[in-house]
Amino acid sequence: MAVRDAASPLLLGLLCLLHTWGARAAVEVNMEDKVEAFLGDAAQITCMFKSDDFGGSGGMTVEWHYVKNSKDYQQIYSQDSLQSTVVKNTPYSERITVNTTGNPGEVVLTIRHVQLSDNEVAFNCYVKIIGEGTGEGSTKLKVFKTPEDPIIQGVGQGISVGDEMTKIASCEVKNGYPKPKITWYRDKMPLHNIPDVVKVDHRVTSQSSGLFSVNSDLNMKVEKKDKDAVFYCEVTFLVPGAEKMLETNGINITVLYPPTTVNMLVKPSEGKIKEGDTVEILCASDGNSESQFFTIDNKDVSRLKLENVTRHDTRFYECSVEDFENSVKLSTNISVEVNYLDEVVIEPTGSVLVDWKKEFSATCNASSSLGIKTTWFKNGKEVVKGYHLSLKAVTYDTAGTYDCVVTVPEIQGMQANSSLQVTVQGPPEIIEKQLNEEETNERELELTCQVRSYPTPNITWGTTNGKIISSSNHMTNVGAKSVAKVQVNITSNTTVFCNASNEFGKDSATYIIKFTKHTTTPATTTTTISPTTITAANTTNNTSTSIIAAKPKSKAKTETPKPQEKAQKGSYGVVIAVIIICILLLAILGSVLYFLYKKGKICNRSGKKDFTKEKSSKDKIVVEMKSDNTEEAILLGVNGEKQLPNDQ
C-alpha cells in the first residue's frame, strides 16, 4: 500500500508536465480573409506565424496550397530548412514566388498576372515546426476589371403621349468584372419599375474572356412634360477596396402631343415698322405633332415674309393650326402697323422772287402716322427749327437754297426733305473792285467790277470825257462780273467809271488814275513799287500812276488790304524826304552863288545871266501817287522855287 501511494503523486506530476509541453507546442498562423487585385496585376498574400518556442533548435516547414472547391486542393509550394520548391504542372507553377519580408515569422506569396480564373480561389499557408506543432491559415483572392464607358442611345422617332409604354432609350456597358449594375435617371431622379408606367429590362452577357457586358432598355409611357426631360444611365462597379460609378451624357426624347394654344410673332420685334422695311410674320403653337399644319392668310405656311411694305399692308393677319390626327383646330390674329412719312410740301413751291429789303415767309410740312420734327437748313447750317420760315429785310446774302428736313424721332433714319430756291431781286450792288497792272509798250490797266443783283445788271465802262471802254462780261451765281482794260495816258489824269444798272436801280464805282510830276537829280532818283503803283525804272523822268477808287454808292464795302496802304504811305515818305534834301542842297547852292556874285568872283554885273531861268533840255520827272486825302505835293524846279501842280 505504501508503494502504491508513493507512485500516485509521481504519475500525476508526469501528466501535468506532458500537458504543459502539449500547450507550448501550438503554432499560430494569421492571414487576411481576402486580397483584391485588378486583372493582369500582381497579388501578394502574406502569411504570419508564431509559436512559444519559435526560433529554437527545432526544424520548420512551410507549404502553400490552393483550394477552388472541396475536390480541387493542391500544393503549389514547399520550403524547409534545406530547400524551397515550386510544384510543377499546376496553374501557378509559372506565376508564383515566395519571399520573406525580413520580419521573423512572415512570408509572402506573390501571384503574377492575375487572371479571372484566380477569382475566389483560397490560398492556404501551412506551417510545421518540429517539436512544437503545426498551424494553418487561408486567404481568398478577388479579381476586378473596370468596364468600358457606358453608351446611351435614344430612339430616333417621336413618341406620342397617347401611346402605351414604349422603348425610349437603351444603355450598354461592356467588359466589366464582376458584373456592372445599370440605373436609369430622369432629371437626376432614379427610375424604378412602375406597372404600366416605367419598365427597365436588363440583359447580362458573359463574353468568351469571362468579362461581363450589360444591356438595359428603358420603356415608358411618356407625358408632355417629358419633352424637356433629360435622361441618362449610371453604371456602378466594384474595384479593389471601393465602388465606383460612371455616367453617360444626357439625352432628350421627341415627345409628340397636340397643340392647345397658337401664337403669332412679327419681326423685327423691336422698334416700329416703316414703309420700305421687310417684315416676317411667324405662327407657332405649343403642340408638337407631325400631323399639324399652319396657314397664314389662307397660305399654307408658318412664316410669311413681306418685302418693301407700305401703309396698305397695315391690317390684321390671321394664323390657324390644325392637327388632323388629334382632331384639334386653333386660330389667332395679330395686327401689323406700317408707319409712313409723306413727301415734304413747301409753300410756296419751287423757286420764288423776293424784293430787296422786303419780308418773306414759307411753310414746310409732311403727313405722317407718327409725330414729326421740322428743321430748315441753308448751306448745311441750321436756320430755324419748326415748319415756318420767316425772312425779314432780305438782302442778296439772304438769297440761296433753303432745305426743309422732316424727321420722325421715334424711328431712326425715317426722314424726308425738299428745297426752296429764294432769289432776291433788286438794284445792283458792286461788291468787288480789283486793279491789275500789266507792263507793255504802253501803260495798260485791267479793272474788274463785281456786281450782284437780279435781274442781271447791264455793266458799262466810261471815262470823264465820255469815252466808252469795251469790256468782257460774264454771269456769276450772284450776278455778273465785268473786266475792262484801260489804256493809260501818262500826260494827263484819267477817271474811269463802272456803271451797273437794272430795272430796280443802279450802282457805280469810280477809278481815278492821277499823275504828278517832280524833278530830281540822277543821284537821288527814287523808285517805289506798291500794289497800286506803276514805276518806270532806268529813266531820268519817272512817272508814277495813282488809282483812286471812289467809294461806291451801295452799302457794299470795298476794302484795300492794309499791307498795301502801309507800302503806299512809305512811298510818300521817301518822296518827301528826297524833296526836303533837294531843297536844302539848292538853298546852300543858292547862298554860295549869291555870296560869290556879291564879291564879283563869278562875273561882272554887266554880263550876268539869269541863271534861275535856264532850263535843262531834259526835265527829270518823278511820278507820285496821290489819293483824295493826301497833302498837296510840293514840286520844285532846279532853282528851288515852290511850284503848284497847275503851273507845270
Side-chain angles (χ1 to χ4, degrees):
M1 289 294 294
V3 173
R4 185 183 305 171
D5 293 338
S8 296
L10 181 61
L11 180 58
L12 182 61
L14 181 58
L15 292 174
C16 291
L17 180 60
L18 291 173
H19 177 72
T20 303
W21 285 351
R24 294 181 58 193
V27 177
E28 182 180 349
V29 177
N30 294 316
M31 297 181 70
E32 296 178 301
D33 291 337
K34 63 180 179 180
V35 169
E36 299 176 334
F38 280 111
L39 179 67
D41 288 353
Q44 291 185 332
I45 301 175
T46 302
C47 177
M48 296 178 291
F49 56 88
K50 63 180 178 178
S51 69
D52 293 339
D53 192 27
F54 179 71
S57 58
M60 180 183 68
T61 300
V62 177
E63 295 179 356
W64 286 91
H65 304 79
Y66 78 87
V67 182
K68 279 192 174 183
N69 51 55
S70 59
K71 296 181 180 181
D72 193 358
Y73 181 91
Q74 186 176 355
Q75 181 179 341
I76 57 175
Y77 179 83
S78 66
Q79 178 183 353
D80 55 23
S81 58
L82 297 178
Q83 63 179 358
S84 60
T85 303
V86 176
V87 179
K88 296 182 179 180
N89 299 322
T90 71
Y92 300 98
S93 299
E94 304 297 331
R95 295 193 292 131
I96 63 170
T97 57
V98 177
N99 298 295
T100 61
T101 63
N103 296 325
E106 187 172 307
V107 294
V108 177
L109 170 65
T110 300
I111 305 171
R112 300 182 299 275
H113 306 298
V114 172
Q115 302 173 0
L116 291 181
S117 59
D118 299 332
N119 187 58
E120 296 292 336
V121 174
F123 292 88
N124 294 347
C125 176
Y126 174 79
V127 180
K128 177 181 179 182
I129 301 177
I130 298 175
E132 296 190 17
T134 62
E136 187 174 3
S138 179
T139 296
K140 276 191 176 183
L141 178 61
K142 296 284 187 178
V143 180
F144 300 89
K145 168 66 170 64
T146 300
E148 299 175 6
D149 291 341
I151 299 174
I152 189 173
Q153 185 175 6
V155 295
Q157 71 276 9
I159 305 170
S160 176
V161 294
D163 294 345
E164 298 297 328
M165 275 199 313
T166 184
K167 177 181 174 181
I168 66 171
S170 62
C171 184
E172 182 181 21
V173 59
K174 294 181 178 180
N175 299 325
Y177 196 90
K179 179 179 65 177
K181 179 182 177 182
I182 294 178
T183 303
W184 283 94
Y185 286 83
R186 176 178 60 189
D187 294 333
K188 299 184 179 181
M189 297 297 294
L191 294 172
H192 304 288
N193 286 335
I194 301 175
D196 300 328
V197 178
V198 179
K199 182 181 178 182
V200 178
D201 293 328
H202 297 298
R203 298 184 306 278
V204 180
T205 304
S206 179
Q207 307 294 332
S208 59
S209 61
L211 300 175
F212 294 103
S213 294
V214 180
N215 287 273
S216 180
D217 293 334
L218 175 62
N219 302 272
M220 286 185 59
K221 181 177 176 58
V222 298
E223 301 176 4
K224 183 178 178 179
K225 64 180 181 180
D226 293 326
K227 65 184 179 66
D228 299 318
V230 178
F231 295 88
Y232 64 95
C233 62
E234 176 189 86
V235 176
T236 55
F237 55 93
L238 296 175
V239 295
E243 182 180 61
K244 289 191 174 183
M245 176 266 294
L246 289 173
E247 287 183 353
T248 65
N249 57 297
I251 64 169
N252 299 106
I253 61 174
T254 302
V255 180
L256 305 178
Y257 48 90
T260 58
T261 60
V262 60
N263 300 291
M264 296 186 73
L265 177 66
V266 176
K267 289 187 176 182
S269 57
E270 297 180 357
K272 297 182 180 295
I273 301 171
K274 66 179 183 297
E275 288 188 320
D277 287 347
T278 297
V279 177
E280 282 188 311
I281 303 175
L282 292 84
C283 182
S285 72
D286 64 344
N288 185 25
S289 174
E290 295 176 346
S291 61
Q292 67 177 357
F293 296 91
F294 294 90
T295 60
I296 301 178
D297 276 9
N298 299 320
K299 297 179 181 178
D300 293 333
V301 292
S302 61
R303 180 190 298 263
L304 180 63
K305 187 175 184 180
L306 304 175
E307 295 182 342
N308 196 23
V309 295
T310 67
R311 68 193 72 184
H312 303 296
D313 295 314
T314 298
R315 60 185 176 88
F316 281 94
Y317 291 81
E318 183 178 6
C319 166
S320 63
V321 57
E322 187 171 2
D323 189 342
F324 299 102
E325 183 177 334
N326 296 286
S327 300
V328 176
K329 186 174 182 179
L330 303 169
S331 64
T332 186
N333 58 59
I334 193 171
S335 174
V336 175
E337 182 179 1
V338 180
N339 294 283
Y340 61 88
L341 175 63
D342 286 338
E343 293 183 356
V344 175
V345 177
I346 297 179
E347 290 292 342
T349 61
S351 179
V352 295
L353 288 174
V354 183
D355 290 337
W356 192 61
K357 294 299 182 180
K358 298 295 184 179
E359 293 186 0
F360 171 75
S361 63
T363 59
C364 171
N365 208 343
S367 178
S368 175
S369 58
L370 298 171
I372 60 174
K373 177 183 177 183
T374 305
T375 308
W376 287 91
F377 294 89
K378 182 185 178 186
N379 298 328
K381 295 182 179 180
E382 183 179 311
V383 177
V384 64
K385 291 183 182 295
Y387 71 95
H388 187 257
L389 173 66
S390 179
L391 304 175
K392 297 182 179 180
V394 298
T395 64
Y396 293 121
D397 292 328
T398 311
T401 301
Y402 290 81
D403 296 312
C404 176
V405 179
V406 179
T407 59
V408 179
E410 293 184 59
I411 302 179
Q412 184 177 3
M414 189 175 184
Q415 72 173 38
N417 57 58
S418 185
S419 61
L420 174 67
Q421 181 67 39
V422 176
T423 303
V424 177
Q425 60 181 3
E429 184 180 63
I430 297 177
I431 58 175
E432 179 183 347
K433 291 185 289 291
Q434 182 178 352
L435 169 64
N436 294 323
E437 299 172 348
E438 294 183 2
E439 290 287 349
T440 62
N441 294 331
E442 298 180 358
R443 295 293 185 180
E444 185 178 66
L445 299 181
E446 185 178 280
L447 305 179
T448 300
C449 190
Q450 182 83 23
V451 183
R452 62 178 179 179
S453 74
Y454 187 87
T456 304
N458 179 33
I459 302 176
T460 59
W461 294 82
T463 61
T464 52
N465 57 10
K467 181 182 179 181
I468 301 301
I469 302 174
S470 62
S471 62
S472 60
N473 300 342
H474 65 273
M475 299 294 296
T476 66
N477 58 346
V478 295
K481 182 176 181 180
S482 180
V483 178
K485 292 187 177 181
V486 181
Q487 297 291 333
V488 179
N489 187 349
I490 63 174
T491 61
S492 63
N493 298 335
T494 303
T495 301
V496 180
F497 302 99
C498 172
N499 299 309
S501 64
N502 63 11
E503 59 187 89
F504 294 97
K506 61 183 179 178
D507 192 11
S508 64
T510 302
Y511 300 81
I512 300 175
I513 307 171
K514 191 173 184 180
F515 301 92
T516 56
K517 185 178 181 181
H518 57 87
T519 304
T520 61
T521 61
T524 59
T525 299
T526 303
T527 302
T528 303
I529 302 175
S530 69
T532 58
T533 302
I534 302 174
T535 301
N538 300 324
T539 60
T540 304
N541 295 328
N542 296 333
T543 302
S544 176
T545 305
S546 175
I547 293 85
I548 301 174
K551 184 176 181 181
K553 297 177 182 179
S554 66
K555 292 186 178 181
K557 184 177 181 181
T558 302
E559 296 183 356
T560 303
K562 292 183 178 180
Q564 296 179 0
E565 292 178 357
K566 293 182 179 180
Q568 188 176 15
K569 292 180 180 179
S571 64
Y572 294 161
V574 173
V575 173
I576 293 173
V578 171
I579 293 174
I580 293 174
I581 294 172
C582 292
I583 292 173
L584 293 176
L585 291 175
L586 291 174
I588 294 171
L589 180 59
S591 299
V592 172
L593 293 175
Y594 181 75
F595 177 76
L596 294 176
Y597 174 75
K598 288 294 184 179
K599 294 294 185 178
K601 298 295 184 180
I602 298 177
C603 60
N604 56 24
R605 295 187 178 183
S606 60
K608 68 179 180 179
K609 293 183 179 180
D610 189 356
F611 182 80
T612 60
K613 293 182 180 180
E614 293 181 356
K615 292 185 179 180
S616 173
S617 60
K618 294 183 180 179
D619 290 338
K620 297 177 181 179
I621 302 173
V622 176
V623 179
E624 178 185 303
M625 174 180 177
K626 180 179 179 182
S627 62
D628 291 342
N629 58 356
T630 57
E631 296 181 357
E632 183 181 14
I634 300 175
L635 306 180
L636 298 177
V638 294
N639 59 358
E641 294 181 355
K642 178 179 179 182
Q643 298 180 354
L644 294 177
N646 293 332
D647 296 336
Q648 297 181 27

